[in-house]
Amino acid sequence: MAVTEPVPEGILRRQSARESAARTYARALPIVPVRARGLTIEGADGRRYLDCLSGAGTLALGHNHPVVLEAIRGVLDSGAPLHVLDLATPVKDAFITELFRTLPPGLADHARVQFCGPAGTDAVEAALKLVRSATGRTGVLAFTGAYHGMTAGSLEASGGAYDVRVARLPYPQDYRCPFGVGGARGAELAARWTESVLDDPKSGVRQPAGMILEPVQGEGGVIPAPDAWMRRMRQITADRSIPLIADEVQTGVGRTGAFWAVEHSGVTPDVMVLSKAIGGSLPLAVVVYREDLDVWQPGAHAGTFRGNQLAMAAGTATLAYVREHRLAERAAVLGARMLGRLRDLARDFPCIGDVRGRGLMIGVEMVDPEGACGTGETGGIDAPLADAHTDAGLDTPADGDGVGARAAKPRTEPQSAPVTAPCPAAPALAVAVQRECLRRGLIVELGGRHASVVRLLPPLTITDEQAAAVLDRLADAVAAAAGNHDRGKGRSDHPQPNPLNEPSRPGRPPGRVPRQGGRAERAG
Ligand code: PLP
């Protein structure tokens, strides 16, 4: 596409003058993308960026993958109608066939699909509406730190909201474990709390219509649920006839190292909410559910834009490509390697409190190591550390490869569990890291409860070399941001270690801060 405006500043100025104050990514990423391919975005000013935001996790195959473009062109050239409401078309038929082929078998064999308005949040609304209709109940169980979207029902179920119809339960997490123990013990306590809320007639929580959870919390700060905890949630809900809704809007299509993140635990949910990657970069959202829940009347969930043919074609191509090229396995292997390198980096930078993730869904939590570490959410409690590992009913979160469990600052007593004493979150430092990344030609996302988690969501097609360049740039950015942060505090003694602590690679002097690929390249 021709660039009509050679000077992006004008576009950016007009954007801030004309667009809503609610705009988000545009504030932290003042770039004007005009071309993109794979991992790379090119701005109107000719700079190139490695894009690890990937449309907030949408671009499983990166930008403008040839199979996606070919699928879109195929529909355009065929003369097929682009808008068909929910009528049957060959394009839709092919999409459903490919989608069902990938679903967990226990669901695929008895599944129904409802096409929704094309945002993930509408599919969440549909899922909540479905289980309410099917059970005749209204309450919903949701989790701390959850994010399910921006429409009213989805917001109610998200972590930042307060709603009487939603009971909030603790999501297990190691670094900021609400019980102060982390690991299998923390997950076990979270599961017990869920059980007791459901079984205590005076808990204030009525029998709910459903439980909604993310197998890996994304916006909540990249927190993978332990597989055993997932199985417990499945058991708890099944025993009480509560439909389990897996929100795989962000985790689906290979992102976490399995085609669907529920596969890690072997859990078959009753309902799955899918969007983002299933549209192959175009808007598409569906809810897939067990057929016996299909008590809906015609029109129970509708929407004008449920029939996006281009998105279905792009989605079919994407699902098939991820399946045929085993990109989920690739995400698992590369993600584990990237987590390893980031943990090496964390050893050198105390301002990295935690590194965690699953597959190519990676989070680096920035903290203030000189703050009151261990006296925040968890540190004030003298937890029984000695038995932290042994009496837990759940296996450790490390039972899935790549699941984060780095103990940031070990407590004083001998431990056998990933007990952590988290330091205060450092959102300003996270913003500085994001800014330094952008200066070096790397686009990253921020998230987490305290907006202090630097998130990487690269396309599943990222090469080893590109992954190395991403990590080099990130390491450089952390070093720069940490240095500036310390200088801002009037200190100059911050260690400036070799980011990523890498053995020297050919062409790089040992111990030198990696610079290769560390700057935004000019196009052309
Ligand atoms: N659910 C999850 C897990 C998400 O991560 C998101 C968006 O990030 C949504 C739902 C909402 O999707 P959308 O922004 O397309 O409405």
Side-chain angles (χ1 to χ4, degrees), residues 384-399:
L385 299 175
D387 66 353
H389 209 45
T390 47
D391 74 347
L394 301 176
D395 48 342
T396 68
D399 58 359

Side-chain angles (χ1 to χ4, degrees), residues 384-471:
L385 299 175
D387 66 353
H389 209 45
T390 47
D391 74 347
L394 301 176
D395 48 342
T396 68
D399 58 359
D401 86 286
V403 176
R406 171 182 181 264
K409 270 194 173 179
R411 285 189 168 186
T412 46
E413 294 117 286
Q415 304 144 22
S416 57
V419 176
T420 61
C423 297
L429 184 58
V431 168
V433 170
Q434 186 186 41
R435 195 171 43 235
E436 293 294 338
C437 282
L438 193 67
R439 288 184 55 210
R440 288 159 177 79
L442 174 63
I443 296 174
V444 295
E445 157 86 301
L446 295 186
R449 274 115 159 122
H450 309 276
S452 59
V453 180
V454 177
R455 303 182 57 208
L456 298 177
L457 293 161
L460 314 184
T461 47
I462 185 173
T463 64
D464 290 350
E465 294 71 27
Q466 288 172 327
V470 164
L471 294 178

Side-chain angles (χ1 to χ4, degrees), residues 25 55-58 118-124 146-151 154 158 212-220 247-251 273 275-276 284-285 361 445 455:
Y25 302 105
T58 300
T121 193
D122 194 58
V124 170
Y147 181 72
H148 299 294
M150 278 286 165
T151 50
S154 308
S158 297
I212 182 165
L213 56 74
E214 298 156 87
V216 180
Q217 286 191 344
E219 304 304 308
D247 180 345
E248 291 244 26
V249 166
Q250 193 165 140
T251 49
V273 183
S275 187
K276 292 197 194 272
L284 190 64
M361 197 167 171
E445 157 86 301
R455 303 182 57 208

Side-chain angles (χ1 to χ4, degrees), residues 68-82 91 282 308-310 313:
V68 170
L69 296 184
E70 193 187 320
I72 293 171
R73 282 196 196 103
V75 176
L76 290 175
D77 294 346
S78 74
L82 296 181
V91 172
L282 297 180
N308 188 334
Q309 300 295 288
L310 295 181

